[in-house]
């Protein structure tokens, strides 16, 4: 059974209650259509479960089949430098067929980011390293495609449609409280 | 469902093979003597998932290259199918056609599913002397990740503790 190689830490992007008993972590790719579907599922799941689950997203761009995925990941990380990771994350998944560099800058301006700084951060070596580190940590954790979910550190091999993911998260919640 | 089959034992000699990777070219295991080889058996080209096993291994290629390891994919599809698949998915490693006689090499590695006429999702790491260092069969329907392969490669280069 594959387990998360690097535990969730202060560098991670966390959505929801930071002290939630269950952590749902996704390794995802902004250009992957299945990750686009999963994005809606995760939003619905968090709306339904509220404070019991926190969501963490790590980058896993499959650059050979998704030529825009790497730069889209950079854009999300550059937006994070100005405190708007999740806003950019949502825009990217809502616009998966519009991920050219010009679009990315457009989303930055839509989010009222400082554009000069956004572009500077987008090109920064540390941001690129962050995305590559995410990818490698995913490989070492047994990521086997996109999206790959981990629930409290254990790879979820079941469905990522809402009923399957919901059942798995609820099972993990019960385990925490047992 | 448990997968009943077991990979060949670590420490045994990896069976040699000679398979086509293009219409006019063959690849043998012995071609890579002196380098580790990663064998990835998989059921079929063109699986319907985009972030699939082959795409993943393709993406992790630079990590394998740090160990000077050669990655080879093997399925029972023929070379023309492999060429089309590799082109569409931009695969940067050879796909070998275990096509005629069908599944012969997969069988040698205990990685043939008679009931489906396809290879298992099986992974092997073979050391630079042609000995099996590590093998893994993934449960049916679950893509294996590359974590086990990376760990096996790391172990190849570890100095044994006295």
């Amino acid at each position: 059974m594959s387990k998360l190689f690097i535990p969730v830490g202060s560098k991670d992007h966390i959505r929801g209650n930071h002290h939630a008993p269950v952590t749902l972590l996704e390794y995802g790719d902004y250009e992957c259509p299945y990750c686009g579907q999963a994005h809606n599922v995760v939003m619905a799941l968090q709306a339904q479960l509220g404070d019991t689950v926190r969501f963490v997203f790590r980058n896993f761009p499959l650059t050979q089949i998704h030529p825009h995925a790497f730069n889209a990941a950079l854009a999300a990380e550059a937006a994070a430098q100005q405190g708007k990771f999740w806003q950019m994350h949502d825009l990217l998944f809502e616009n998966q067929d519009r991920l050219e560099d010009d679009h990315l800058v457009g989303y930055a301006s839509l989010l009222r980011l400082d554009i000069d700084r956004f572009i500077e951060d987008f090109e920064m070596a540390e941001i690129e390293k962050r995305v590559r580190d995410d990818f490698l940590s995913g490989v070492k954790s047994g990521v086997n495609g996109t999206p790959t979910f981990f629930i409290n550190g254990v790879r979820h091999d079941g469905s990522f449609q809402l009923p399957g993911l919901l059942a798995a998260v609820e099972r993990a919640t019960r385990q925490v409280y047992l | 469902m448990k997968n009943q089959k077991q990979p060949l034992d670590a420490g045994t000699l990896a069976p040699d093979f000679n398979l086509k990777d293009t219409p006019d070219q063959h690849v043998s295991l012995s071609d890579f003597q002196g380098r580790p080889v990663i064998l990835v058996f998989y059921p079929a080209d063109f699986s319907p998932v985009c972030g699939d096993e082959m795409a993943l291994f393709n993406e992790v290629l630079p990590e394998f290259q740090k160990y000077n390891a050669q990655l080879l994919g093997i399925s029972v599809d023929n070379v023309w199918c492999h060429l089309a698949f590799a082109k569409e998915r931009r695969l940067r490693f050879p796909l070998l056609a275990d096509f005629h006689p069908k599944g012969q090499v997969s069988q040698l590695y205990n990685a043939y599913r008679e009931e489906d006429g396809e290879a298992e999702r099986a992974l092997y790491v073979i050391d630079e002397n042609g000995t099996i260092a590590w093998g893994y069969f993934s449960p049916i329907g679950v893509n294996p990740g590359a974590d086990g392969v990376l760990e096996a490669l790391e172990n190849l280069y570890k100095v044994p503790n006295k």
Side-chain angles (χ1 to χ4, degrees), chain B residues 84-141:
Chain B
F85 180 56
K87 189 175 174 204
E88 195 205 84
R89 306 283 162 103
R90 297 164 180 251
L91 301 181
R92 297 168 295 165
F93 58 91
L95 299 178
L96 310 187
D98 194 10
F99 180 68
H100 184 66
K102 190 185 175 195
Q104 193 181 43
V105 173
S106 306
Q107 281 171 21
L108 283 177
Y109 282 85
N110 202 22
Y112 191 67
R113 285 171 54 75
E114 194 64 53
E115 57 274 40
D116 299 319
E118 293 176 343
E120 299 272 358
R121 289 197 186 276
L123 303 173
Y124 281 100
V125 171
I126 297 166
D127 73 12
E128 62 275 24
N129 302 315
T131 305
I132 290 173
W134 178 81
Y136 175 76
F137 286 10
S138 195
I140 296 152

Side-chain angles (χ1 to χ4, degrees), chain A residues 34 62-65 143-145, chain B residues 48 50-51 56 59 90 143 147:
Chain A
Y34 301 96
L62 295 170
T63 57
Q64 292 298 313
I65 47 171
V143 168
N144 56 0
Chain B
C50 75
L56 171 74
E59 211 64 48
R90 297 164 180 251
N143 277 356
D147 49 331

Side-chain angles (χ1 to χ4, degrees), chain A residues 130-141:
Chain A
R130 155 93 197 220
V131 174
R132 292 195 190 284
D133 286 351
D134 269 5
F135 180 83
L136 196 57
S137 80
V139 172
K140 290 186 169 172
S141 303

